[in-house]
Amino acid sequence: MGSLHFGDFQLMRGFPEEVVHGGVAAQTALVFEREKPGKSGLTVEPRAAMALKSHSEAERRRRERINAHLSTLRTLIPGTGKMDKAALLTEVISRIKELKTSTTEISQGVNVPADADEVKVEVEASLCCADRPELLMDLKQTLLALRLRTVKAEISTVGGRVKNDIVLTCEGGGAAAATGEYDTECNIFTNNVHQALKSVLERASSQPDFSAGSPLSGKRRRLSPPSFPAASSSP
Amino acid sequence: MGSLHFGDFQLMRGFPEEVVHGGVAAQTALVFEREKPGKSGLTVEPRAAMALKSHSEAERRRRERINAHLSTLRTLIPGTGKMDKAALLTEVISRIKELKTSTTEISQGVNVPADADEVKVEVEASLCCADRPELLMDLKQTLLALRLRTVKAEISTVGGRVKNDIVLTCEGGGAAAATGEYDTECNIFTNNVHQALKSVLERASSQPDFSAGSPLSGKRRRLSPPSFPAASSSP
DNA sequence: CTGTACACGTGACCC
DNA sequence: TGGGTCACGTGTACA
């Protein structure tokens, strides 16, 4: 699938392919036209000519297949439309490498056993509501008041709505997870986190809407905006 | 990099390439060797022969470049060592497609904002230790005793060591996240989870080893460590 | 005029 | 023995 709908970059490199087909090399092949019947009663030259013709046709099919695959590769990787064959393949291998590393990074990110025994407990919270100008600041200060440390944060907005995915630990909980400090520091109800986030939600609802007339019906993603993981706040 | 150390599948298809180089077509090119100086004082046939030779050489370099890239693609995708060129390209485009879809799936997995306001709080715990036969059963019962519900679990083992990544909520916490039930049910210290997992760890350590000699000395990566920009410690 | 890039046909090779 | 694949040299177009 998806092989012939492309721009036919390398097939139309001059003539409409029939003219090329009866080109120079084909004529040199027809130069051997003689009258010499084979010993088996069958003329051998027409057979040889037919074999040669089918041979060249098979080769032409092979080239078409390969070039069709190259064209689909061009559609898969953006920006390679007018590239060289070799440059296209270079881009292909770089894409495969970076995609492979990114997938393995993500999937085995927290998935490889460490060499030391350890126990880690984190709180993963997500808040989804309509976007407000001061939402991020409010959220940040609320979490700060709970003495929680932000390990990871991911924010995405679509159609005026925002979703914040946060991973939290208690202060110093990362390194102290295997020690006794963790136990004394991390006495926070998940309850507390939940209630705090609900308070953020309520405060946001009591204020005027951020995007009044939102003309965005199309999808629009926004990954990790520069504002959220701001560490230092009001001292 | 990484182009000539491969098995040289298509370059060694018969002769050692020097014999091929002086093959049939090259001899037919040398047939035009005559003595006929051009009117500008310079002989034209040797020039044409040289141009033709450099042309074929350039074409040969181009083929080598493309085939080198194809060889690196063979090294990148396992199992394509003895494949056709077209089959190799087919495998390449399928790999690119699946890698692309998997990355987008992972990255946008929990990333789309929901249509209703909601707050969700989960506990994400990970336990990393040497593998034991009864470890899983112990872990399961321990979490059950805490009235926690396992939302997601990921277990990976390497070299006799095991890592369990678990995402937990209180019983019925998933649907009741936006209601008041959640608050009354989910009064569990993350502390408690941590201590319970530590007890599992201690029970595992007091029992005979599962795989005696663990030969793991290779490097192992661990992404997303608690190295995120830490919020200011003391307000 | 000099490269560079592409498609083509052809000989050799392997099932 | 054909059908399939490969590398090669060549003709041709474009910069």
mmCIF file of all heavy atoms in Angstrom, chain A residues 89-112:
data_model
loop_
_atom_site.group_PDB
_atom_site.id
_atom_site.type_symbol
_atom_site.label_atom_id
_atom_site.label_comp_id
_atom_site.label_asym_id
_atom_site.label_seq_id
_atom_site.Cartn_x
_atom_site.Cartn_y
_atom_site.Cartn_z
ATOM 1 N N LEU A 89 18.474 7.838 2.948
ATOM 2 C CA LEU A 89 18.810 6.693 3.801
ATOM 3 C C LEU A 89 19.534 7.150 5.062
ATOM 4 O O LEU A 89 19.314 6.600 6.141
ATOM 5 C CB LEU A 89 19.665 5.700 3.019
ATOM 6 C CG LEU A 89 18.908 4.966 1.918
ATOM 7 C CD1 LEU A 89 19.827 4.018 1.180
ATOM 8 C CD2 LEU A 89 17.717 4.215 2.496
ATOM 9 N N THR A 90 20.377 8.150 4.938
ATOM 10 C CA THR A 90 21.020 8.701 6.132
ATOM 11 C C THR A 90 19.979 9.200 7.121
ATOM 12 O O THR A 90 20.042 8.909 8.320
ATOM 13 C CB THR A 90 21.957 9.862 5.738
ATOM 14 O OG1 THR A 90 22.850 9.412 4.724
ATOM 15 C CG2 THR A 90 22.730 10.349 6.938
ATOM 16 N N GLU A 91 19.023 9.943 6.603
ATOM 17 C CA GLU A 91 17.966 10.453 7.482
ATOM 18 C C GLU A 91 17.165 9.305 8.085
ATOM 19 O O GLU A 91 16.764 9.359 9.250
ATOM 20 C CB GLU A 91 17.052 11.375 6.683
ATOM 21 C CG GLU A 91 16.299 12.368 7.546
ATOM 22 C CD GLU A 91 17.226 13.353 8.222
ATOM 23 O OE1 GLU A 91 18.363 13.549 7.734
ATOM 24 O OE2 GLU A 91 16.834 13.908 9.245
ATOM 25 N N VAL A 92 16.959 8.270 7.294
ATOM 26 C CA VAL A 92 16.196 7.119 7.797
ATOM 27 C C VAL A 92 16.913 6.469 8.959
ATOM 28 O O VAL A 92 16.302 6.187 9.991
ATOM 29 C CB VAL A 92 15.966 6.105 6.667
ATOM 30 C CG1 VAL A 92 15.530 4.765 7.228
ATOM 31 C CG2 VAL A 92 14.906 6.618 5.714
ATOM 32 N N ILE A 93 18.209 6.253 8.816
ATOM 33 C CA ILE A 93 18.903 5.560 9.901
ATOM 34 C C ILE A 93 18.991 6.456 11.126
ATOM 35 O O ILE A 93 18.878 5.980 12.257
ATOM 36 C CB ILE A 93 20.302 5.066 9.475
ATOM 37 C CG1 ILE A 93 21.315 6.187 9.473
ATOM 38 C CG2 ILE A 93 20.257 4.372 8.154
ATOM 39 C CD1 ILE A 93 22.723 5.714 9.374
ATOM 40 N N SER A 94 19.126 7.759 10.934
ATOM 41 C CA SER A 94 19.162 8.625 12.113
ATOM 42 C C SER A 94 17.814 8.621 12.817
ATOM 43 O O SER A 94 17.732 8.586 14.039
ATOM 44 C CB SER A 94 19.557 10.045 11.712
ATOM 45 O OG SER A 94 18.501 10.686 11.030
ATOM 46 N N ARG A 95 16.737 8.626 12.027
ATOM 47 C CA ARG A 95 15.405 8.578 12.642
ATOM 48 C C ARG A 95 15.216 7.297 13.425
ATOM 49 O O ARG A 95 14.690 7.297 14.538
ATOM 50 C CB ARG A 95 14.326 8.686 11.557
ATOM 51 C CG ARG A 95 14.143 10.088 11.035
ATOM 52 C CD ARG A 95 13.481 10.977 12.028
ATOM 53 N NE ARG A 95 12.076 10.654 12.260
ATOM 54 C CZ ARG A 95 11.255 11.385 12.984
ATOM 55 N NH1 ARG A 95 11.701 12.500 13.522
ATOM 56 N NH2 ARG A 95 10.011 11.036 13.154
ATOM 57 N N ILE A 96 15.624 6.184 12.821
ATOM 58 C CA ILE A 96 15.458 4.905 13.523
ATOM 59 C C ILE A 96 16.252 4.908 14.812
ATOM 60 O O ILE A 96 15.770 4.476 15.860
ATOM 61 C CB ILE A 96 15.898 3.740 12.614
ATOM 62 C CG1 ILE A 96 14.798 3.456 11.593
ATOM 63 C CG2 ILE A 96 16.191 2.490 13.433
ATOM 64 C CD1 ILE A 96 14.940 2.126 10.929
ATOM 65 N N LYS A 97 17.461 5.442 14.756
ATOM 66 C CA LYS A 97 18.276 5.473 15.972
ATOM 67 C C LYS A 97 17.612 6.307 17.051
ATOM 68 O O LYS A 97 17.485 5.884 18.201
ATOM 69 C CB LYS A 97 19.662 6.037 15.648
ATOM 70 C CG LYS A 97 20.620 5.012 15.079
ATOM 71 C CD LYS A 97 21.984 5.651 14.868
ATOM 72 C CE LYS A 97 22.964 4.636 14.286
ATOM 73 N NZ LYS A 97 24.258 5.262 13.943
ATOM 74 N N GLU A 98 17.185 7.506 16.704
ATOM 75 C CA GLU A 98 16.639 8.375 17.745
ATOM 76 C C GLU A 98 15.297 7.866 18.251
ATOM 77 O O GLU A 98 15.008 7.947 19.435
ATOM 78 C CB GLU A 98 16.512 9.805 17.232
ATOM 79 C CG GLU A 98 15.364 10.061 16.278
ATOM 80 C CD GLU A 98 15.357 11.500 15.794
ATOM 81 O OE1 GLU A 98 16.443 12.059 15.534
ATOM 82 O OE2 GLU A 98 14.280 12.065 15.672
ATOM 83 N N LEU A 99 14.504 7.288 17.357
ATOM 84 C CA LEU A 99 13.237 6.726 17.829
ATOM 85 C C LEU A 99 13.496 5.555 18.764
ATOM 86 O O LEU A 99 12.834 5.412 19.790
ATOM 87 C CB LEU A 99 12.382 6.262 16.645
ATOM 88 C CG LEU A 99 11.659 7.355 15.877
ATOM 89 C CD1 LEU A 99 10.948 6.779 14.665
ATOM 90 C CD2 LEU A 99 10.651 8.047 16.781
ATOM 91 N N LYS A 100 14.466 4.720 18.409
ATOM 92 C CA LYS A 100 14.765 3.573 19.247
ATOM 93 C C LYS A 100 15.234 4.018 20.629
ATOM 94 O O LYS A 100 14.763 3.532 21.650
ATOM 95 C CB LYS A 100 15.827 2.706 18.572
ATOM 96 C CG LYS A 100 16.055 1.384 19.253
ATOM 97 C CD LYS A 100 17.168 0.606 18.577
ATOM 98 C CE LYS A 100 16.760 0.156 17.197
ATOM 99 N NZ LYS A 100 17.748 -0.779 16.615
ATOM 100 N N THR A 101 16.143 4.966 20.668
ATOM 101 C CA THR A 101 16.646 5.426 21.964
ATOM 102 C C THR A 101 15.536 6.078 22.771
ATOM 103 O O THR A 101 15.460 5.886 23.978
ATOM 104 C CB THR A 101 17.804 6.412 21.768
ATOM 105 O OG1 THR A 101 17.367 7.466 20.918
ATOM 106 C CG2 THR A 101 19.008 5.728 21.151
ATOM 107 N N SER A 102 14.687 6.859 22.120
ATOM 108 C CA SER A 102 13.639 7.537 22.885
ATOM 109 C C SER A 102 12.654 6.528 23.451
ATOM 110 O O SER A 102 12.239 6.640 24.605
ATOM 111 C CB SER A 102 12.913 8.538 21.994
ATOM 112 O OG SER A 102 12.215 7.871 20.969
ATOM 113 N N THR A 103 12.287 5.532 22.669
ATOM 114 C CA THR A 103 11.344 4.543 23.195
ATOM 115 C C THR A 103 11.959 3.761 24.339
ATOM 116 O O THR A 103 11.323 3.551 25.364
ATOM 117 C CB THR A 103 10.921 3.574 22.092
ATOM 118 O OG1 THR A 103 12.079 3.096 21.437
ATOM 119 C CG2 THR A 103 9.985 4.242 21.110
ATOM 120 N N THR A 104 13.211 3.333 24.174
ATOM 121 C CA THR A 104 13.825 2.579 25.260
ATOM 122 C C THR A 104 14.015 3.452 26.490
ATOM 123 O O THR A 104 13.863 2.984 27.616
ATOM 124 C CB THR A 104 15.177 2.011 24.809
ATOM 125 O OG1 THR A 104 15.937 3.064 24.239
ATOM 126 C CG2 THR A 104 14.980 0.914 23.781
ATOM 127 N N GLU A 105 14.330 4.717 26.264
ATOM 128 C CA GLU A 105 14.444 5.620 27.405
ATOM 129 C C GLU A 105 13.134 5.694 28.174
ATOM 130 O O GLU A 105 13.094 5.557 29.387
ATOM 131 C CB GLU A 105 14.800 7.020 26.923
ATOM 132 C CG GLU A 105 16.290 7.275 26.863
ATOM 133 C CD GLU A 105 16.566 8.680 26.387
ATOM 134 O OE1 GLU A 105 15.619 9.467 26.263
ATOM 135 O OE2 GLU A 105 17.738 8.975 26.130
ATOM 136 N N ILE A 106 12.054 5.902 27.433
ATOM 137 C CA ILE A 106 10.776 6.067 28.101
ATOM 138 C C ILE A 106 10.344 4.781 28.779
ATOM 139 O O ILE A 106 9.964 4.761 29.945
ATOM 140 C CB ILE A 106 9.708 6.511 27.077
ATOM 141 C CG1 ILE A 106 10.049 7.885 26.523
ATOM 142 C CG2 ILE A 106 8.335 6.535 27.714
ATOM 143 C CD1 ILE A 106 9.138 8.351 25.432
ATOM 144 N N SER A 107 10.426 3.664 28.029
ATOM 145 C CA SER A 107 9.860 2.430 28.572
ATOM 146 C C SER A 107 10.694 1.895 29.712
ATOM 147 O O SER A 107 10.155 1.441 30.714
ATOM 148 C CB SER A 107 9.751 1.388 27.460
ATOM 149 O OG SER A 107 11.046 1.036 27.017
ATOM 150 N N GLN A 108 12.015 1.930 29.579
ATOM 151 C CA GLN A 108 12.832 1.377 30.653
ATOM 152 C C GLN A 108 13.269 2.462 31.620
ATOM 153 O O GLN A 108 14.145 2.249 32.434
ATOM 154 C CB GLN A 108 14.060 0.677 30.078
ATOM 155 C CG GLN A 108 15.254 1.583 29.845
ATOM 156 C CD GLN A 108 16.402 0.797 29.249
ATOM 157 O OE1 GLN A 108 16.248 -0.342 28.844
ATOM 158 N NE2 GLN A 108 17.560 1.408 29.207
ATOM 159 N N GLY A 109 12.629 3.610 31.508
ATOM 160 C CA GLY A 109 13.009 4.716 32.359
ATOM 161 C C GLY A 109 12.993 4.361 33.817
ATOM 162 O O GLY A 109 13.953 4.562 34.538
ATOM 163 N N VAL A 110 11.903 3.785 34.303
ATOM 164 C CA VAL A 110 11.802 3.417 35.698
ATOM 165 C C VAL A 110 11.719 1.906 35.806
ATOM 166 O O VAL A 110 11.257 1.371 36.788
ATOM 167 C CB VAL A 110 10.559 4.061 36.329
ATOM 168 C CG1 VAL A 110 10.880 4.495 37.746
ATOM 169 C CG2 VAL A 110 10.052 5.218 35.523
ATOM 170 N N ASN A 111 12.226 1.261 34.781
ATOM 171 C CA ASN A 111 11.919 -0.150 34.656
ATOM 172 C C ASN A 111 13.111 -1.063 34.880
ATOM 173 O O ASN A 111 12.941 -2.263 34.947
ATOM 174 C CB ASN A 111 11.355 -0.423 33.262
ATOM 175 C CG ASN A 111 10.237 -1.421 33.295
ATOM 176 O OD1 ASN A 111 9.877 -1.876 34.370
ATOM 177 N ND2 ASN A 111 9.717 -1.775 32.147
ATOM 178 N N VAL A 112 14.278 -0.521 34.990
ATOM 179 C CA VAL A 112 15.452 -1.368 35.138
ATOM 180 C C VAL A 112 15.774 -1.511 36.622
ATOM 181 O O VAL A 112 15.852 -0.513 37.327
ATOM 182 C CB VAL A 112 16.646 -0.758 34.397
ATOM 183 C CG1 VAL A 112 17.828 -1.686 34.464
ATOM 184 C CG2 VAL A 112 16.259 -0.482 32.978
#
